[in-house]
Amino acid sequence: MSRQDLLPGTLHLLILKTLARGAQMHGYEIARSIQQISQDVLQVEEGSLYPALQRMLIKGWVKAQWGATAENRRARYYRLTPPGRKQLEVEKTQFERVIHAIGRVIQTA
């Protein structure tokens, strides 16, 4: 199966949910986790991921600190903040609302 583009408005949701699982992660780990959990259906490109993480830092949804990867490379590690947890719930609610609306439209005869 080919990889699919993300639906508009879902990137923040996917990142927040990935970080909500508890561990600090650097960008590549976040992208890889989304890809693995989606069974290779979703792929987050660097050109989308890092600007999204920067927006989330500015909004206070995540915090970041520099650290070293297992390969001893310098990387920025992200973690969810309490406002980020609240935003995750907002994003989930909005996403579910849109999915239900789409379902109603495509199931109408």
Side-chain angles (χ1 to χ4, degrees):
M1 177 183 286
S2 65
R3 292 187 178 120
Q4 301 295 308
D5 290 332
L6 295 177
L7 292 173
T10 59
L11 183 55
H12 288 158
L13 171 61
L14 294 172
I15 294 170
L16 290 169
K17 181 61 180 175
T18 300
L19 291 174
R21 292 184 175 92
Q24 286 193 124
M25 301 174 93
H26 57 74
Y28 178 77
E29 289 174 320
I30 294 168
R32 185 72 181 131
S33 178
I34 291 168
Q35 184 176 346
Q36 286 176 334
I37 291 170
S38 72
Q39 298 179 343
D40 292 324
V41 173
L42 303 174
Q43 182 176 6
V44 180
E45 302 292 337
E46 283 184 32
S48 299
L49 177 66
Y50 291 103
L53 285 166
Q54 187 60 35
R55 287 190 300 273
M56 295 167 76
L57 277 167
I58 290 167
K59 292 179 181 192
W61 299 346
V62 298
K63 287 198 174 189
Q65 67 182 32
W66 289 100
T69 67
E71 295 82 24
N72 208 26
R73 293 185 179 161
R74 190 168 184 246
R76 200 167 191 189
Y77 283 83
Y78 299 88
R79 66 179 171 81
L80 199 58
T81 63
R85 288 194 186 283
K86 289 180 184 175
Q87 186 61 32
L88 172 58
E89 293 308 313
V90 169
E91 299 276 337
K92 282 176 28 179
T93 300
Q94 290 173 346
F95 179 77
E96 289 167 356
R97 185 172 166 240
V98 169
I99 291 301
H100 289 298
I102 290 170
R104 286 191 301 270
V105 170
I106 64 175
Q107 292 175 2
T108 301

